[in-house]
Each structure stands twice: as C-alpha cells, then as structure tokens.
C-alpha cells in the first residue's frame, strides 16, 4: 500500500446501527469503507478488499471477533494490519483477550468520534512506518541475496581460473579461502626458466569485489612475465605501473615476491607491505625475517620505488612462511589478536617441521574458536626444494600449443662492442631467448644448442678478438695462464666487435636454428684446419670437432672470421 | 562522533582526531572533515591518540587525503601513534609518504 491510494477501513459488526454510524463517520473523513456482518464474513471481505485497518466487534454470530482477528493476522503474515476492537465489554479480562488475539487497540461503546478518529490516525501512522521499514528490509534482503549470488559466481571464476591450478606443487602448502580471495588476497606460483621458482603473495586494500578485481591484471602480468624469465624487479615494476594506472587512489596491493634459486642456494625477495615473512631452518627455528622495506604497489610512480630485490642465502629444505595480516589480526571472542608473538612461538628448536603449517592453522582456528572459520586467512609455506607440479596442475596446460601448419619464425641480429663483450654472456642470453619463446620440441636440444653457441662465441671472442693462442693450453698449467691472459685481455679491450645473427625456422615436426657469428679479428686458416686430424689428447682444437658433430652444417667464410652453423631438430 | 576536526582561524591548520577503530566505516566522516579545507599550504595533523585500531582501508583513506592535499607536496603529520599502529605503518612503509610521530 503506498501513499497515493487512500486509506481503506473494514468495519466488522453484526449490529446494523453501529455499522451505519461508523460508516458515515469514516466517510466524512474521506476514508474508504468495506463492511462485514460477522467473523466469517470478515475473513472473506479481508481477502477480497485488502483493507488497511480493521474495526472489529467482539461478540458476533458464526465467528467472534477474537477468532476472526487471529485468522486475519495470520494470513496477513509480515504485513501490519492494525485491528481496533470495538466492544461493549469493559472488564479487564475481555480487554486482555483482545490483545492476546492480536488486537492492536480497543474502544468501548458508545464511541466518541473524536477519540476513534485519533486512534485511527495513530494506527495509520504506525502502519505506514511499519510498511516503509518493511519495504526497506525487503530491499536489503534482496540486495544481500543478489550480492551473495554474485559473490558465489565470481568466487567460482576466481578460484577456478586464477588460483588453485598453479598452486598444486609439492613444495608449496597454502591456505587461500574463497573469502580471502574476496578480501583481495592472491597467491601465485610460476616455474621460471632455468629451474627457478617464483611465488607472490598479494593483499589488496579494502574488501569485497572491488578488492578482488585488481587480482586479474596482476596475476596476468605475473604469470606471463615470470614464465618468460623476467626478473623480480621487472615484474614488480610492471605490476606497479599497471596498478598505478588502473586503481583509484587509496587502493593498492601489498605484495611479497620470493624467487627460489636452488642452484645458487639463495632466494631473492621483494616485500612491500606484507608482514615480515619468515625463513625457517630445518630445525624449526627462524633464521631471519623478510621484512617489508618498500611501499606497496600502486601508490607511487615507478621512479619512487626501489624494486631491486634483497638476496638471502638458504640451504636446501629451508622453509619460507609468508602470510597476510589476516593471520596476526585473527581475533578471539575477547577481541584479543592472535599476534606476531603467538605465531613466532611455533618456530622453535625441535618443532614438528613437517606438520608446522597445519599446526599453525589449527592454532589460529582454536584461538578464535566460536568466532568462525579462518575465512580471511592467507598463508603459504614454500619449501626450498625442487618443486614438481602435480599432473593435474595448470602448469602442464601452460605450454604453447602450435596451431597446425603454423610456423613461428624469428631472427635476431646483435652487435657487441667491447663493453658489451665484458659484461654480457651471449650464449646464455640467446639460449634464454629460445627458452622464453617456448619453442616446441626444443627442450631436449637445449644443452646441445648451448654448447654450439658457446663454442662459436668462445672461438670468436678468445681467438678472434682477444687473439689468444690455443697453444697456451697445451699443458695443464697453461690452462691457468690462459684464463689469466683471457681476463687481462678482456679488461683492457678497447676495440673490436662480434656480430651475431640467430634465425629460428619452425616446422610442424621440428625446426632449424641458423647461427651466424662474425668477429673483427684476423680469422684463421680454416682450410688447413679442416684437414687436420686432431690428436685425442690435445687440449685444444676440440671446439671445431664438437661443432661438426652437433651441427648439420658448419661453414667458415672470409678469413675465417665468419662462421655459420645450422642446427636441425625433429 | 568518532571524527573530531579542528580548523585554525586562518584555515591553514586542520587537525583531525580519530576515535576508536579507524576503518571504512569512517570514510564519509573522514572525507568530510577536510573536504572544505584543501587550499595549497594547508597543514594537516592526524591525531591518533584515541585510535584503537586501523586497517588497510583506512590507510587507503590516508592516501586519498594525501592526493587531495597536493600529493608529494602535501603536508600531513600523523601524531600520537602508538606501538601497534606504528607497526602497521611500518609494514606498509608509510613513513615514506607521511610524517609519522610515535608516542
């Protein structure tokens, strides 16, 4: 009933005189009136006419006012239909019964028109207030349900596409509940080229969907760049640029990125705004903390953040614990926080390191027993070991699938000057490039290609540019001299160049790599070299033999300062 | 009222005191406390003497104030910061953006 329709009142009375008096009284006030002669009829008229207020006599044939009121109130449900009892009875007991039956007020006969009008006005005010409030409650309930539904859908999208798949790895334990995702937490893991593994725990400001939205571009950037072998500082800078551009001021991403390099027994980390992560030894003790030394991402421009990572030595099977503030801010029923100290207490000599992660979670849940599940807790345990992805993880779906008959070909040309020759390792760079483009079928040829590139490059650099003689390497002692000479020559080098071309041609079943290297040196008598039989014990001259055995073509040009090698795979 | 503001006669010094928990619930009150005093050269003092807790959305609100008050040129001091609040500012490295004075 809205304000535009006029008030409608039902009069229920078996006495015609009473009905007429009341009816004319109400009609003078421009109130619509409908009539019923007894309780039974009242129910029928109520259902047909939907009056707003009811004036109810008590004693009537067929059904009395109490019973009729009970039934009407029940069928009205949530809606407030005020019932004012009209009665000749004045004893307390009868009046109490009126209220028990669901009556809202009563009037004793004979009626005083002014008092009756006042009572109706008062009831109408209450009724309107109630109706407004009910409308708002209904709307709220509707929005709440709609939001819950949308959350459920988005939750499925997020947890399905972004998260779990990449985290099914045997050196990672984690908790990241859907609610945590909606609090803007995210956790990403990627195997980088050359056996490195990188993870990121992020925590957006604010809560709800708005906080979760930023997760999409972030995971996109992180996954793509990490797979291609980009370094922590490059990834963090790119995420910062993106977030600075898309997020409104006041929203940002606290993030801790850790890259594990087992080969060099170290981790690189960058922490902006995440509570101190822990490096824990095999004995269960905290070795050191990975503190937040930077602003979170998305607040200031790139030139105001230092993205260079810190380096920490680790031992195999050390563990790294990273957690968002949800865990230390978990509160119990007294409002006490779980806190850093309680968390650190778990890490002590002799702790059951294998089950530590589960023990901590259990501890947090027990601490806030009765407050609810650990809905917004995000924590990861990252063991410094060779992580292997489980077969159903997303990592295996991540390979580039070549469309049929498609060829992905590219060519790179470089020229290195003395400064570049001093600082850059060309074979590593070029194999890295090959690896990053995920050329299909090339993986098992990686070592061979690296050797080919190394031999060609070493030849050009050491003999061509630095003019070192292989005869130096005749004796084992000579080898040391050779490396010293090499270092000296390289440091003082001030002219010369190496040009390198690498061209990749792919086919459906394999591919071909053509490598061309040219140096500014004098070359060598390659015609004579080709006829030499090489003494197996010789400490030099093996390079070209190796090249010949690996490459399907090896051709020298010019004065011997230009060489082209072709490597083919199926 | 969990936000108490005090503006000097010349309008150049805005002091905002936050009582209780500083979170998204104070968004409107907090924004309203400074929105009419954003002239260049205004100094803002945020008094956290009576603040019991702060969350990341409040940190976001501080960044918003900073931007509206001139970004890198904003003159904002956060004072009477107790130890636990200080820890939160520290983790986020907010001392690089604000002058933060502990108790």
């Amino acid at each position: 009933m809205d304000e535009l329709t006029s008030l409608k009142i039902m009069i229920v009375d078996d006495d015609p005189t009473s009905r007429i008096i009341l009816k004319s009284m109400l009609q003078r006030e421009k109130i619509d009136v409908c009539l019923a002669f007894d309780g039974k009829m009242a129910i029928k008229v109520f259902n047909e006419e939907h009056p707003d207020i009811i004036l109810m006599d008590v004693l009537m044939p067929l059904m009395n006012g109490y019973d009729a009121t009970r039934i009407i109130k029940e069928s009205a449900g949530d809606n407030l239909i005020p019932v004012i009892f009209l009665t000749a009875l004045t004893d307390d007991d009868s009046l109490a019964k009126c209220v028990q039956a669901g009556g809202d007020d009563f009037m004793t006969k004979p009626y005083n028109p002014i008092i009756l009008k006042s009572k109706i006005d008062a009831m109408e005010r209450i009724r309107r207030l109630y109706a407004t409030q009910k409308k708002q409650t209904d709307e709220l309930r509707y929005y709440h349900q709609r939001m819950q539904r949308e959350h459920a859908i988005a939750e499925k999208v997020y947890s399905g596409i972004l998260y779990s798949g990449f985290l099914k790895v045997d050196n990672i334990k984690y908790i990241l509940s859907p609610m945590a995702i909606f609090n803007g937490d995210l956790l990403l893991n990627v195997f980088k080229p050359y056996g490195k593994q990188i993870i990121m725990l992020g925590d957006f400001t604010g809560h709800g969907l708005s906080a979760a939205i930023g997760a999409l571009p972030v995971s996109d950037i992180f996954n793509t760049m990490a797979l291609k072998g980009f370094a922590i500082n490059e990834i963090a800078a790119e995420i910062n640029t993106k977030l600075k551009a898309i997020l409104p001021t006041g929203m940002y991403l606290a993030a801790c990125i850790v890259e594990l390099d087992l080969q060099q027994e170290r981790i690189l980390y960058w922490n902006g705004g995440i509570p101190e992560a822990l490096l824990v030894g095999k004995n269960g003790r905290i070795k050191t903390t990975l503190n937040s030394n930077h602003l979170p991402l998305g607040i200031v421009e790139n030139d105001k953040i230092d993205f260079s990572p810190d380096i920490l030595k680790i031992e195999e099977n050390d563990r790294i614990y990273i957690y968002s503030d949800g865990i230390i801010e978990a509160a119990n029923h007294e409002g006490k926080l779980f806190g850093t100290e309680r968390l650190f207490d778990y890490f002590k000599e002799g702790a059951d390191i294998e089950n530590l992660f589960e023990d901590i979670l259990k501890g947090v849940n027990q601490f806030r027993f009765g407050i609810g599940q650990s809905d917004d807790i995000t924590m990861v345990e990252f063991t410094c070991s060779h992580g292997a992805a489980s077969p159903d993880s997303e990592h295996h779906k991540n390979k580039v699938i070549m469309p049929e008959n498609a060829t992905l070909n590219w060519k790179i040309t470089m020229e290195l000057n003395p400064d570049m020759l001093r600082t850059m390792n060309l074979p590593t760079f070029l194999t890295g490039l090959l690896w990053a483009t995920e050329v299909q079928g090339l993986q098992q040829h990686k070592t061979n290609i690296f050797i080919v590139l190394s031999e060609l490059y070493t030849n050009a650099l050491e003999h061509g540019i630095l003019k070192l003689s292989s005869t130096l390497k005749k004796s084992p002692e000579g080898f040391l001299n050779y490396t010293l000479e090499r270092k000296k020559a390289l440091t003082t080098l001030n002219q010369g160049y190496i040009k390198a071309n690498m061209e990749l041609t792919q086919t459906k079943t394999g591919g071909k790599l053509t490598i061309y290297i040219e140096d500014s040196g004098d070359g060598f008598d390659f015609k004579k070299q080709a006829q030499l039989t090489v003494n197996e014990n010789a400490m030099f001259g093996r390079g070209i033999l190796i090249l010949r055995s690996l490459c399907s073509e090896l051709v020298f040009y010019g004065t011997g300062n230009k060489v082209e090698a072709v490597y083919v795979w199926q | 009222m969990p936000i108490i503001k005090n503006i000097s006669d010349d309008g150049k010094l805005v002091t905002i005191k936050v009582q209780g928990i500083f979170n998204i619930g104070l968004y409107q009150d907090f924004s309203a406390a400074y929105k009419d005093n954003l002239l260049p050269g205004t100094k803002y003092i945020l008094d956290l003497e009576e603040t019991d807790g702060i969350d990341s959305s409040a940190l976001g609100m501080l960044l918003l104030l900073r931007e509206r008050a001139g970004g890198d040129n904003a003159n904002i001091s956060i004072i009477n910061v107790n130890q636990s609040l200080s820890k939160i500012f520290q983790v986020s490295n907010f001392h690089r953006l604000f002058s933060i004075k502990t108790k």
Side-chain angles (χ1 to χ4, degrees):
Chain A
M1 168 89 15
D2 59 55
E3 276 121 69
L4 292 173
T5 49
S6 63
L7 186 62
K8 188 191 262 187
I9 292 183
M10 174 164 77
I11 300 165
V12 188
D13 202 324
D14 58 334
D15 172 21
T17 325
S18 276
R19 288 202 302 269
I20 289 164
I21 293 169
L22 283 169
K23 189 178 170 189
S24 57
M25 223 166 77
L26 295 173
Q27 277 172 339
R28 264 202 304 277
E29 301 289 336
K30 307 228 181 315
I31 293 171
D32 280 351
V33 174
C34 52
L35 300 171
F37 307 155
D38 60 58
K40 268 225 157 86
M41 188 179 168
I43 295 165
K44 187 165 169 278
V45 173
F46 172 77
N47 287 329
E48 286 162 2
E49 300 276 338
H50 306 294
D52 305 310
I53 295 176
I54 299 169
L55 304 179
M56 181 76 81
D57 188 19
V58 176
L59 300 173
M60 291 177 291
L62 292 174
M63 185 188 280
N64 66 31
Y66 300 136
D67 291 342
T69 300
R70 256 185 225 105
I71 292 168
I72 286 171
K73 282 280 183 180
E74 204 179 299
S75 79
D78 271 353
N79 298 306
L80 177 69
I81 309 293
V83 173
I84 301 172
F85 276 105
L86 309 167
T87 172
L89 305 167
T90 52
D91 60 298
D92 294 348
D93 199 34
S94 307
L95 298 180
K97 264 173 102 178
C98 291
V99 176
Q100 272 167 19
D104 297 279
D105 202 348
F106 49 81
M107 265 202 83
T108 46
K109 293 176 184 175
Y111 317 124
N112 175 330
I114 295 167
I115 292 180
L116 181 62
K117 178 64 179 37
S118 308
K119 289 202 174 203
I120 288 171
D121 285 348
M123 276 304 150
E124 174 58 5
R125 262 204 303 277
I126 293 172
R127 193 192 64 80
R128 279 192 191 281
L129 192 69
Y130 185 89
T132 311
Q133 206 207 349
K134 182 172 179 298
K135 196 172 149 221
Q136 286 169 347
T137 312
D138 287 350
E139 277 174 10
L140 266 179
R141 189 179 299 141
Y142 167 76
Y143 285 122
H144 181 69
Q145 281 172 355
R146 202 174 77 172
M147 205 167 83
Q148 277 188 326
R149 206 183 60 224
E150 283 177 355
H151 268 201
I153 294 167
E155 190 184 302
K156 209 169 156 53
V157 172
Y158 270 85
S159 51
I161 294 175
L162 283 176
Y163 299 91
S164 50
F166 289 106
L167 294 166
K168 287 182 185 164
V169 173
D170 60 6
N171 63 342
I172 287 180
K173 283 182 189 172
Y174 71 96
I175 175 160
L176 176 72
S177 68
M179 268 324 289
I181 295 172
F182 272 97
N183 287 336
D185 286 2
L186 79 160
L187 184 57
L188 304 166
N189 166 58
V190 170
F191 290 106
K192 288 182 74 175
Y194 301 115
K196 291 176 190 166
Q197 189 179 358
I198 183 168
I199 69 169
M200 174 169 120
L201 186 145
D203 180 3
F204 276 98
T205 31
H207 297 282
L209 206 51
S210 59
I213 280 169
L216 272 169
V218 169
S219 63
D220 212 32
I221 292 170
F222 183 86
N223 289 341
T224 312
M225 291 185 77
L227 271 172
K228 295 199 168 143
F230 281 92
I232 284 189
N233 54 337
E234 295 170 302
I235 296 173
E238 185 63 27
I239 292 174
N240 189 59
T241 307
K242 184 78 179 177
L243 292 183
K244 183 82 182 81
I246 64 171
L247 292 184
T249 302
M251 253 190 88
Y252 58 83
L253 175 72
C256 181
I257 311 177
V258 177
E259 179 175 308
L260 170 65
D261 184 348
L262 262 187
Q263 215 171 357
Q264 302 203 49
E265 296 193 318
R266 64 179 196 182
I267 54 166
L268 304 179
Y269 72 92
W270 187 94
N271 187 351
I274 293 285
E276 65 262 67
L278 313 172
L279 176 67
V280 176
K282 284 183 288 260
N283 58 9
R285 287 239 292 266
I286 297 173
K287 285 182 163 181
T288 183
T289 53
L290 286 57
N291 293 341
S292 159
N293 290 325
H294 307 278
L295 275 171
L297 300 169
I299 297 179
V300 294
E301 303 289 343
N302 275 7
D303 56 5
K304 296 199 182 98
I305 306 191
D306 176 11
F307 291 109
S308 50
D310 291 304
I311 300 174
L312 272 182
K313 275 292 179 197
I314 50 118
E315 289 170 70
E316 192 162 350
N317 293 322
D318 280 354
R319 286 159 202 246
I320 299 157
Y321 291 81
I322 319 171
Y323 47 91
S324 68
D325 49 15
I327 205 153
I328 39 182
E329 284 170 15
N332 68 5
H333 60 282
E334 289 169 337
K336 273 208 184 98
L337 302 184
F338 190 72
T340 314
E341 269 176 47
R342 234 178 289 258
L343 177 66
F344 281 22
D345 273 351
Y346 281 89
F347 301 94
K348 49 187 177 235
E349 190 88 45
D352 179 10
I353 187 86
E354 288 305 321
N355 295 309
L356 205 48
F357 184 80
E358 290 80 359
D359 288 346
I360 293 170
L361 284 187
K362 217 187 287 168
V364 175
N365 279 333
Q366 266 165 12
F367 178 76
R368 55 192 228 169
F369 177 74
I371 303 293
Q373 281 299 302
S374 48
D375 270 351
D376 46 3
I377 284 177
T378 300
M379 179 166 73
V380 59
E381 178 197 83
F382 182 24
T383 304
C384 301
S385 60
H386 291 282
S390 75
D392 58 338
S393 80
E394 294 289 331
H395 294 281
H396 292 273
K397 299 179 196 158
N398 211 21
K399 296 274 172 268
V400 172
I401 295 160
M402 279 256 284
E404 234 175 312
N405 299 324
T407 47
L408 294 169
N409 302 328
W410 51 259
K411 181 175 179 174
I412 180 171
T413 303
M414 307 180 71
E415 181 171 334
L416 307 184
N417 62 21
D419 279 336
M420 294 284 278
L421 291 170
R422 267 187 285 275
T423 52
M424 186 176 180
N425 186 333
L426 189 70
T428 312
F429 175 78
L430 289 176
T431 40
L433 213 58
L434 276 174
W435 185 245
T437 45
E438 295 187 63
V439 177
Q440 226 179 5
L442 196 57
Q443 212 167 332
Q444 55 266 54
H445 297 274
K446 214 176 102 197
T447 319
N448 283 352
I449 288 170
F450 183 77
I451 292 170
V452 170
L453 283 165
S454 283
E455 289 298 336
L456 292 172
Y457 181 70
T458 306
N459 207 28
L461 178 67
E462 298 181 358
H463 305 314
I465 307 263
L466 302 179
K467 305 190 197 312
L468 299 171
S469 167
S470 294
T471 50
L472 266 178
K473 293 194 279 186
K474 264 181 180 166
S475 68
E477 306 84 59
F479 243 107
L480 178 64
N481 289 334
Y482 182 84
T483 56
L484 291 174
E485 285 286 319
R486 181 188 187 279
K487 200 174 169 188
K488 205 174 95 191
L490 193 59
T491 319
T492 55
L493 184 71
N494 56 22
Q495 58 177 1
Y497 63 82
I498 288 181
K499 285 181 184 168
N501 290 347
M502 186 160 84
E503 187 173 357
L504 175 76
T505 321
Q506 292 188 75
T507 62
K508 221 164 71 180
T509 53
K512 183 172 93 168
L513 198 64
T514 309
I515 303 152
Y516 169 84
I517 305 256
E518 175 189 332
D519 64 71
S520 59
D522 304 328
F524 68 106
D525 189 351
F526 54 88
K527 288 182 184 115
K528 194 175 150 201
Q529 172 85 28
Q531 291 151 13
L532 279 181
T533 51
V534 176
N535 181 340
E536 279 183 29
N537 289 322
M539 301 290 280
F540 62 98
R542 292 167 304 169
I544 289 174
L545 262 195
I546 291 171
L547 284 170
R548 287 208 190 285
S549 72
L550 292 175
C551 299
S552 51
E553 277 176 58
L554 184 75
V555 186
F556 288 93
Y557 301 93
T559 58
N561 64 331
K562 300 174 185 173
V563 59
E564 186 175 277
V566 178
Y567 187 92
V568 174
W569 69 93
Q570 288 299 320
Chain B
M1 186 73 168
I3 299 271
I4 298 167
K5 71 166 169 175
N6 195 335
I7 293 160
S8 65
D9 293 340
D10 61 0
K12 292 278 186 187
L13 179 66
V14 178
T15 310
I16 303 172
K17 195 167 196 167
V18 183
Q19 296 173 323
I21 304 285
F22 190 10
N23 63 15
I24 196 73
L26 299 185
Y27 179 81
Q28 278 185 330
D29 290 344
F30 185 73
S31 308
Y34 62 77
K35 76 168 173 29
D36 295 329
N37 297 81
L38 287 169
L39 286 175
T42 308
K43 179 173 168 55
Y44 303 86
I45 292 178
L46 199 64
D47 186 350
L48 302 188
E49 172 82 51
E50 293 168 41
T51 308
D52 300 324
I54 188 165
D55 74 354
S56 62
S57 60
L59 297 183
M61 283 146 65
L62 293 178
L63 290 174
L64 209 58
L65 164 64
R66 184 176 179 273
E67 187 184 77
R68 291 181 181 162
D72 289 349
N73 300 320
N75 186 351
I76 304 170
S77 295
I78 304 173
I79 62 165
N80 290 321
V81 179
N82 70 30
Q83 220 181 350
S84 63
L85 296 180
S86 163
K87 177 108 201 259
I88 292 172
F89 285 122
Q90 217 177 325
V91 165
S92 308
N93 284 280
F94 265 41
H95 55 272
R96 298 188 186 181
L97 303 175
F98 300 92
S99 148
I100 295 174
K101 294 183 183 105
T102 47
K103 266 198 228 180

